[in-house]
């Protein structure tokens, strides 16, 4: 069994979904590992990861709108407010989504469905450099 790992730095400039699919696919292909599992891990508490449809941008818009309604950015609702009105809601949104994903690797490709893509979900409004750790294990 072989393994490889790397860290992607994703520059975000707003709240929302940032697609990482092509960058991750290219890295996996370059590892030469054909069959195994890819772990994707977000090293932050106010950003997360998501596998979601990547064909219709309306899906991303609807997801972002839903989470803004579900977890409001109202400082009167939270005790932790010293990092701005979007910080505690960002932590809550991160809890409701994922910070780690496992994706099977088959024939050197991610075993994603036709319309599935990998996204970093930025929950904060200001610029960030987010780190996403990739580790693949297999043959």
């Amino acid at each position: 069994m072989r393994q490889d790992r790397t860290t992607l730095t994703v520059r975000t400039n707003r709240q929302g979904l940032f697609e990482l699919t092509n960058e991750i696919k290219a890295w996996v292909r370059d590892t030469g590992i054909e069959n195994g599992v890819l772990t994707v891990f977000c090293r932050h508490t106010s950003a997360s990861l998501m596998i979601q449809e990547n064909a219709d941008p309306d899906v991303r818009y609807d997801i972002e709108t839903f989470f803004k309604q579900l977890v409001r950015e109202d400082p009167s609702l939270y005790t932790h407010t010293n990092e701005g009105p979007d910080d505690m809601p960002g932590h809550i949104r991160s809890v409701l989504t994922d910070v780690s994903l496992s994706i099977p690797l088959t024939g050197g490709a991610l075993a994603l469905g036709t319309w599935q893509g990998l996204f970093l979900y930025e929950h904060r409004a200001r610029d960030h450099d987010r780190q996403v750790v990739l580790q693949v294990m297999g043959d």
Side-chain angles (χ1 to χ4, degrees):
M1 180 164 304
R2 296 174 29 221
Q3 63 177 321
D4 203 344
R5 76 179 57 84
T6 194
T7 301
L8 302 179
T9 299
V10 181
R11 181 78 176 154
T12 63
N13 58 0
R14 60 173 173 76
Q15 292 176 333
L17 293 161
F18 294 81
E19 188 165 7
L20 306 175
T21 311
N22 290 336
E23 190 172 359
I24 292 173
K25 282 181 176 181
W27 177 79
V28 167
R29 188 174 42 252
D30 289 347
T31 69
I33 296 176
E34 292 288 317
N35 299 294
V37 66
L38 169 69
T39 301
V40 184
F41 179 74
C42 178
R43 298 183 64 197
H44 304 279
T45 59
S46 58
S48 56
L49 299 168
M50 186 177 289
I51 295 176
Q52 196 44 254
E53 179 177 329
N54 65 353
D56 184 350
D58 287 345
V59 172
R60 285 173 272 198
Y61 174 81
D62 289 342
I63 288 170
E64 293 169 18
T65 300
F66 172 79
F67 273 98
K68 284 180 183 179
Q69 293 170 359
L70 182 67
V71 185
R72 295 189 333 233
E73 293 182 7
D74 178 353
S76 72
L77 299 173
Y78 311 108
T79 303
H80 176 74
T81 59
N82 60 337
E83 293 182 57
D86 63 345
D87 187 48
M88 192 61 216
H91 294 304
I92 294 169
R93 291 175 187 144
S94 186
V95 167
L96 295 173
T97 52
D98 291 309
V99 294
S100 182
L101 303 170
S102 295
I103 300 118
L105 183 64
T106 306
L110 301 178
L112 294 171
T114 302
W115 307 113
Q116 287 183 320
L118 297 161
F119 295 87
L120 173 80
Y121 191 5
E122 175 60 69
H123 303 300
R124 303 291 308 272
R126 63 184 179 87
D127 295 355
H128 284 89
D129 286 326
R130 299 300 194 176
Q131 293 182 341
V132 177
V133 178
L134 307 178
Q135 181 169 347
V136 65
M137 296 174 58
D139 301 312

